[in-house]
Amino acid sequence: GAGVSQSPSNKVTEKGKDVELRCDPISGHTALYWYRQSLGQGLEFLIYFQGNSAPDKSGLPSDRFSAERTGGSVSTLTIQRTQQEDSAVYLCASSLAAGTGYNEQFFGPGTRLTVL
Amino acid sequence: GQSLEQPSEVTAVEGAIVQINCTYQTSGFYGLSWYQQHDGGAPTFLSYNALDGLEETGRFSSFLSRSDSYGYLLLQELQMKDSASYFCAVRDNSNYQLIWGAGTKLIIKP
């Protein structure tokens, strides 16, 4: 079946603009995760969803960042009033469930965001 | 606090064996995972250890010692395609999310 997909693959925007990043998880995966990765760095956790609810929003860097998930499927990460320091690759991952047993996270190809 | 430590870079020769260590300090522990990420690519799952001991999958093996809060990834018969970054990650059973190390860049020389 299809893997995790993300769109757009690349996004160049001007400072101060809003951007929306989309993630389509693997069908049947109830858990969805957003990460940010700067060049040559590790993964920075942003937020995760179990179904449509987000039990942990502690990783969101500021109130300019928000995310939602609808229908237990597609998720959108929105960054308002983008800043240059927001430039990074935004990775989305999904897994069968968060909470029972171990569930491997499957990653999408990421969205490379460049804020000019 | 919660943290994972792993070397930032390791260099090895093609055909050799290399070990990438990971020590962790987390409030909860459910298991230790390893992921591989090639430049420009997405992380992909390699292995998972919930219990002490060695897990072998082909050329890759992963080890865990919960009493020492320590694990390692062992790569044998290195190939040039193994050049990548390797991340250890711990499942924190209070949040059920993965806590990630900063990654180890493996450089393989011919």
Side-chain angles (χ1 to χ4, degrees):
Chain A
V4 178
S5 62
Q6 293 185 245
S7 61
S9 55
N10 280 285
K11 177 71 177 179
V12 180
T13 190
E14 294 179 347
K15 177 182 174 181
K17 300 286 190 182
D18 298 351
V19 296
E20 283 191 355
L21 312 181
R22 176 187 168 105
C23 173
D24 277 276
I26 293 173
S27 177
H29 281 192
T30 60
L32 185 147
Y33 310 80
W34 282 100
Y35 296 92
R36 179 168 71 174
Q37 187 175 33
S38 299
L39 187 62
Q41 303 297 310
L43 278 70
E44 176 187 2
F45 169 79
L46 298 178
I47 188 171
Y48 95 94
F49 290 89
Q50 178 59 46
N52 291 334
S53 65
D56 189 348
K57 301 180 181 180
S58 62
L60 293 177
S62 74
D63 59 7
R64 296 187 295 105
F65 288 71
S66 63
E68 66 174 13
R69 189 180 185 193
T70 55
S73 181
V74 172
S75 176
T76 302
L77 177 70
T78 301
I79 308 173
Q80 296 179 310
R81 305 181 302 282
T82 52
Q83 303 294 313
Q84 289 183 331
E85 60 262 30
D86 299 334
S87 296
V89 175
Y90 289 80
L91 291 163
C92 172
S94 70
S95 67
L96 281 172
T100 55
Y102 174 77
N103 290 293
E104 173 188 348
Q105 293 186 15
F106 294 82
F107 283 82
T111 293
R112 183 176 299 278
L113 175 66
T114 303
V115 182
L116 301 177
Chain B
Q2 304 192 92
S3 65
L4 282 79
E5 291 193 8
Q6 51 181 130
S8 60
E9 188 176 290
V10 171
T11 301
V13 178
E14 190 176 15
I17 299 172
V18 70
Q19 178 174 312
I20 299 173
N21 298 321
C22 175
T23 57
Y24 59 87
Q25 183 177 11
T26 57
S27 57
F29 180 82
Y30 197 88
L32 180 70
S33 305
W34 289 92
Y35 283 75
Q36 178 192 59
Q37 185 181 31
H38 287 98
D39 283 347
T44 56
F45 173 80
L46 289 178
S47 68
Y48 171 69
N49 294 68
L51 302 176
D52 291 350
L54 190 68
E55 296 280 343
E56 298 182 58
T57 307
R59 295 186 297 112
F60 293 5
S61 302
S62 57
F63 172 83
L64 174 65
S65 169
R66 288 173 295 171
S67 60
D68 295 322
S69 297
Y70 163 77
Y72 66 72
L73 180 69
L74 189 73
L75 297 83
Q76 302 182 69
E77 301 173 17
L78 286 172
Q79 303 176 8
M80 296 304 293
K81 67 178 182 180
D82 298 330
S83 295
S85 291
Y86 293 83
F87 295 87
C88 59
V90 166
R91 177 170 291 276
D92 178 336
N93 60 13
S94 63
N95 290 328
Y96 302 104
Q97 61 169 287
L98 291 177
I99 301 168
W100 294 75
T104 298
K105 185 176 180 65
L106 175 61
I107 298 170
I108 300 174
K109 298 183 176 180

